[in-house]
Amino acid sequence: MKDIRRIGVLGAGTMGRGIIQLFAQSGYEVYSYDAVDGAVAKAVDFVSGLIERAVDKGRLKREEADVTLARIIPCSDVAEFAGCDLVVEAIIENIDAKRAVFEMLEGVVASDCILASNTSSLTVAEIASACKHPERVAGLHFFNPVPLMKVAEIIAAVRSAPEHIAALKTLIESCGHRGVVAEDQPGFLVNHAGRGLYTEGLRIVEDQCASPEDVDRLMREAAGFKMGPFELMDLTGLDVSGKVMSSIYEQFQQEPRFRPSPLVAPRIAAGLFGRKTGEGWYRYDNGQRVDSPTAETPALAGTIAVWVDPDADQCAALGELVSAGGARLVEQPADAELILIQPWGWDVSIYCAERDLDARRCVAVDPLPGLDKHRTLMISPVTEARCRDAAHALLGQNAAVTVINDSPGFVCQRILATIVNIACNIVQRGIASVADLEDAVRLGLGYPAGPLTLGEQVGGERILAILEAMELQTGDMRYRPALWLSRRVRLGQTLLTAEAPRSGRG
């Protein structure tokens, strides 16, 4: 395996300067070149400023800072990369430009120098096809800001030499980052695994089940995510997110799981990109998001008779809550003015029809988050306003409540099941190992846990049931369960169970 000591970074923009800083701080000599006049000097000044700030705040000793800065070597000509063990390209996302750069680098560096692209969306094999020795080419995808985002994707193209992939992994982990290895597939690992949050969030809004603000609030306060899909799209820019969604869908041969929403194109056309344009899914005033006022909890109009479905996961706890709120529990649904149910994967309408319950008096409570978190109430198209308001009054006295329209799987069930399903398909296809997938999503996307762990927390059998119910109700192939998921559930195994090794090949 190649020992990497000298690293060239071609491209001194936002990503390039972050890569320069990471490697210099980690003890490597870093040669920096950019074809744009003054770009390298600006990058060095930027990195120097960050390091000086660390000294001023006492996080770094003066001597360490001086040594780090001395490792950064500005280059006026790409020929100065001749002695590098690795060159990382970090230029614009344009296949022709990258192919030209790699073809040029082969004429500069030694025969054993590794060439890596920081591409986030282009096929590494296509970049490598310009080279006489494509086995030396790999992807090395960092996330912004590079020194703080503690993960990097190492992309093994079809002709990448295994020893070079191993050398890159050793390098990345010597920098204190987690190096995750992924096959050269659309979206690689992080962008691929992150599709479910966006696409299913958009589908929920498209179906008029909930507003973007409701979806974000529930994913934060009920599911435990740092951000919901719409505030994330506003942060990254819908112009960027929209292109990625369309690109991955097309590159995966229009796989239904990645189908983009028709809600996106009109908003891009209108220039509603998010924070950078002052308006996206939200409006921004001087950079601060303007949220809608929170709906007030209605008052309970007198005593009401309530029947709680005995099949509800939290039947006893719901009974205690509504009793404490002033309701009277009854033993038969025919005697109730309000019916409370807790379906998994089903909407109110079908659940009531299957059980001969009166949908006009029925309100569903999402069992997934637990009753100690933000509560989701779901109504059918015919649920009476008095029943909706009574349920809100009873369950909103000691917790926040969001009311949504009929939706198979509420909001959290739908999005989590989609995230888990896509993750299961990633490991089923061998795009990444279970461990690399889990860490990549947790570190790269900031999810509360890896996607397969999230599935285990809900329960693999439950995730499978949600997907099967959603597929049956909608007829949409986007919800078909991955084989990884269905096999492990049928065998009573966890979603983290690896494939048994084959005894031979062929």
Side-chain angles (χ1 to χ4, degrees):
M1 186 172 68
K2 184 172 180 59
D3 182 31
I4 298 173
R5 298 311 310 165
R6 295 185 183 88
I7 300 170
V9 178
L10 198 157
T14 300
M15 294 303 295
R17 66 194 185 194
I19 296 168
I20 292 167
Q21 180 185 347
L22 175 68
F23 286 140
Q25 287 179 335
S26 302
Y28 296 94
E29 286 185 17
V30 185
Y31 294 75
S32 174
Y33 173 77
D34 195 298
V36 177
D37 288 342
V40 170
K42 288 180 181 178
V44 172
D45 286 345
F46 180 84
V47 173
S48 298
L50 292 176
I51 290 174
E52 292 296 340
R53 201 173 308 151
V55 173
D56 293 342
K57 293 185 177 181
R59 296 198 301 264
L60 189 66
K61 293 181 180 179
R62 176 76 265 165
E63 305 79 45
E64 294 173 326
D66 291 341
V67 171
T68 297
L69 291 172
R71 295 191 190 107
I72 302 173
I73 302 162
C75 301
S76 58
D77 193 303
V78 75
E80 295 176 61
F81 283 173
C84 289
D85 305 304
L86 163 70
V87 176
V88 181
E89 164 272 311
I91 65 170
I92 58 171
E93 282 289 274
N94 178 282
I95 187 63
D96 292 332
K98 289 183 187 289
R99 281 167 52 89
V101 160
F102 274 71
E103 188 174 16
M104 175 268 295
L105 284 171
E106 272 203 316
V108 172
V109 299
S111 60
D112 63 344
C113 177
I114 302 172
L115 303 179
S117 175
N118 184 54
T119 180
S120 60
S121 61
L122 300 174
T123 304
V124 176
E126 188 172 3
I127 297 171
S129 66
C131 297
K132 294 177 182 177
H133 297 285
E135 70 277 1
R136 68 157 80 184
V137 180
L140 188 56
H141 179 216
F142 293 92
F143 298 86
N144 190 37
V146 175
L148 300 181
M149 294 293 286
K150 298 292 185 179
V151 64
E153 294 178 315
I154 302 158
I155 311 306
V158 290
R159 299 182 72 176
S160 300
E163 61 268 24
H164 292 337
I165 300 301
L168 289 173
K169 183 175 174 66
T170 298
L171 169 71
I172 291 303
E173 297 192 342
S174 75
C175 299
H177 279 38
R178 175 72 163 88
V180 296
V181 179
E183 293 294 310
D184 191 16
Q185 290 289 292
F188 304 139
L189 187 47
V190 173
N191 280 332
H192 184 168
R195 291 309 89 207
L197 180 66
Y198 290 135
T199 56
E200 197 57 29
L202 283 161
R203 180 63 184 268
I204 288 167
V205 171
E206 189 181 324
D207 290 345
Q208 294 290 296
C209 303
S211 69
E213 200 164 355
D214 287 339
V215 173
D216 285 345
R217 186 181 300 115
L218 289 170
M219 290 307 295
R220 286 195 317 270
E221 299 179 17
F225 281 57
K226 291 179 182 177
M227 299 180 77
F230 297 95
E231 50 196 343
L232 266 173
M233 281 186 273
D234 270 9
L235 181 63
T236 59
L238 189 59
D239 53 334
V240 175
S241 298
K243 287 178 182 177
V244 173
M245 282 186 273
S246 296
S247 173
I248 289 180
Y249 176 62
E250 293 300 334
Q251 289 181 77
F252 271 113
Q253 310 299 312
Q254 300 186 347
E255 160 61 53
R257 292 187 180 106
F258 306 123
R259 187 188 308 120
S261 169
L263 296 178
V264 172
R267 302 185 75 85
I268 291 177
L272 302 176
F273 299 161
R275 288 181 179 273
K276 61 186 176 185
T277 57
E279 188 174 1
W281 298 103
Y282 296 88
R283 187 168 60 82
Y284 297 86
D285 187 3
N286 293 322
Q288 297 297 312
R289 194 174 79 196
V290 179
D291 290 333
S292 303
T294 304
E296 293 186 7
T297 302
L300 187 64
T303 303
I304 186 170
V306 178
W307 180 76
V308 179
D309 185 357
D311 290 334
D313 279 42
Q314 294 136 353
C315 177
L318 279 172
E320 292 174 5
L321 282 173
V322 298
S323 293
R328 177 172 58 88
L329 289 174
V330 296
E331 295 185 359
Q332 299 297 326
D335 300 327
E337 298 167 85
L338 170 64
I339 295 170
L340 295 180
I341 60 174
Q342 286 196 302
W344 288 93
W346 298 99
D347 64 22
V348 179
S349 301
I350 291 183
Y351 191 90
C352 288
E354 290 290 323
R355 289 159 179 79
D356 198 25
L357 299 173
D358 186 351
R360 294 171 300 177
R361 294 178 284 137
C362 202
V363 175
V365 183
D366 189 359
L368 189 148
L371 295 174
D372 58 333
K373 296 182 181 178
H374 194 118
R375 297 166 186 165
T376 307
L377 303 184
M378 184 166 68
I379 58 175
S380 79
V382 297
T383 299
E384 295 176 357
R386 65 184 182 88
C387 297
R388 176 201 64 206
D389 291 346
H392 192 168
L394 290 167
L395 296 173
Q397 296 183 24
N398 58 353
V401 165
T402 294
V403 180
I404 67 170
N405 291 331
D406 221 355
S407 165
F410 294 86
V411 169
C412 294
Q413 289 182 32
R414 281 180 71 160
I415 293 179
L416 281 174
T418 301
I419 288 171
V420 173
N421 198 37
I422 289 173
C424 287
N425 200 49
I426 288 173
V427 290
Q428 181 65 56
R429 295 184 57 186
I431 293 172
S433 68
V434 168
D436 280 359
L437 170 68
E438 291 288 281
D439 287 347
V441 170
R442 183 174 52 82
L443 296 170
L445 295 175
Y447 288 5
L452 299 179
T453 299
L454 288 173
E456 279 301 301
Q457 290 171 355
V458 177
E461 187 173 359
R462 194 75 85 181
I463 293 290
L464 180 61
I466 293 168
L467 290 166
E468 289 176 336
M470 292 196 297
E471 185 183 15
L472 184 63
Q473 288 166 97
T474 64
D476 195 336
M477 291 290 285
R478 72 193 289 132
Y479 301 119
R480 71 192 191 283
L483 291 172
W484 183 277
L485 170 64
S486 58
R487 285 169 178 162
R488 277 148 188 77
V489 170
R490 307 301 185 205
L491 295 173
Q493 299 295 309
T494 76
L495 302 186
L496 299 161
T497 302
E499 290 284 292
R502 289 178 287 172
S503 58
R505 303 275 180 177

